[in-house]
Amino acid sequence: MSGDERVGPPSFGTERDTLRAFLDYHRATLAMKCEGLTDEELRRRSMPPSTLSLLGLVRHMAEVERAWFRRVFEDQGAPMVWSDEIDFQAAYDASGSTRQEAFAAWEAEVATSRRIERAAGSLDQAGYQPRWEEEVSLRMVMLHVLLEYGRHNGHADFLREGVDGTVGA
C-alpha cells in the first residue's frame, strides 16, 4: 500500500457531514487495502471453504451500496449486480472477476449513492426497503452502510495481511 491519502472525518460538524465523511473514509479504506495487488492476489481466498477475498469484498460492497441506496430511494426493482436473486453471498465468489470489473461496479454504485444522499432534503427522508417491506430513513441507511464497511474493512485487514504481510490503516 502506498501512503495513506484518506481524509479523516471532522472532529466537529453536522450529523450529515459527519456521516458522509465517515462513509467516505471507510470507502477509501477498502480501496487502500486493495492498492498495489494483482488480480490474482485480490482473488486470494481467506481459507477453505470460504470464498472471501479482497475482490469479493469490493463486489459485495457494490451490492450493499446498490441495495441500500439505489433500491431504497430510486428503484426497488433494480437488479442486484451479481445475482438474479437478492443473494449477497454471490458477490463473494470473485473467482472469475478482475479488479477492473469489480472496481468499476463498486465505484459506479458509490457515485450513485453519493448522488442520492446529496439530493435528499434531510436525513429524515424516507425510502422503502423492499427486503424488509418497510420505510427507512436516509440516516438509518447511512448508518447501516457505514457499519457494513466497518465490519468488512476488518475482514480486509486480515485478508491483506494474508496476501503480502501488509498491516495497518
Side-chain angles (χ1 to χ4, degrees):
M1 293 184 303
S2 60
D4 187 348
E5 297 178 22
R6 297 171 300 165
V7 175
S11 298
F12 294 92
T14 67
E15 178 184 15
R16 191 167 188 169
D17 289 342
T18 303
L19 285 170
R20 184 184 293 154
F22 267 101
L23 258 175
D24 283 341
Y25 182 81
H26 274 281
R27 289 166 173 152
T29 299
L30 181 57
M32 188 179 78
K33 287 293 178 179
C34 297
E35 282 181 5
L37 298 177
T38 66
D39 284 1
E40 181 181 330
E41 290 169 324
L42 288 169
R43 285 190 298 264
R44 189 169 299 158
R45 294 177 176 187
S46 58
M47 67 182 76
S50 176
T51 59
L52 188 64
S53 67
L54 285 165
L55 208 54
L57 287 176
V58 171
R59 289 165 47 102
H60 174 72
M61 291 312 298
E63 296 283 36
V64 168
E65 295 269 2
R66 178 173 286 197
W68 283 98
F69 283 96
R70 184 187 304 249
R71 287 177 53 90
V72 168
F73 294 103
E74 281 190 347
D75 180 5
Q76 285 99 38
M80 298 302 281
V81 183
W82 286 284
S83 72
D84 294 334
E85 307 166 4
I86 308 297
D87 180 6
F88 287 92
Q89 297 302 310
Y92 286 127
D93 183 3
S95 57
S97 187
T98 65
R99 171 192 294 273
Q100 181 179 355
E101 174 253 359
F103 272 85
W106 178 60
E107 290 166 357
E109 291 305 320
V110 167
T112 297
S113 298
R114 286 180 176 140
R115 177 183 51 75
I116 289 167
E117 182 271 319
R118 290 187 187 284
S122 80
L123 291 174
D124 293 321
Q125 179 165 325
Y128 183 76
Q129 175 45 273
R131 288 181 22 228
W132 293 357
E133 298 181 354
E134 69 180 60
E135 286 192 340
V136 294
S137 70
L138 175 60
R139 175 183 295 103
M140 185 273 172
V141 167
M142 291 179 77
L143 282 167
H144 183 88
V145 174
L146 179 59
L147 290 171
E148 284 274 340
Y149 273 104
R151 176 180 178 216
H152 293 307
N153 279 339
H155 297 139
D157 287 338
F158 289 119
L159 287 164
R160 179 61 190 249
E161 185 177 5
V163 169
D164 67 359
T166 299
V167 296

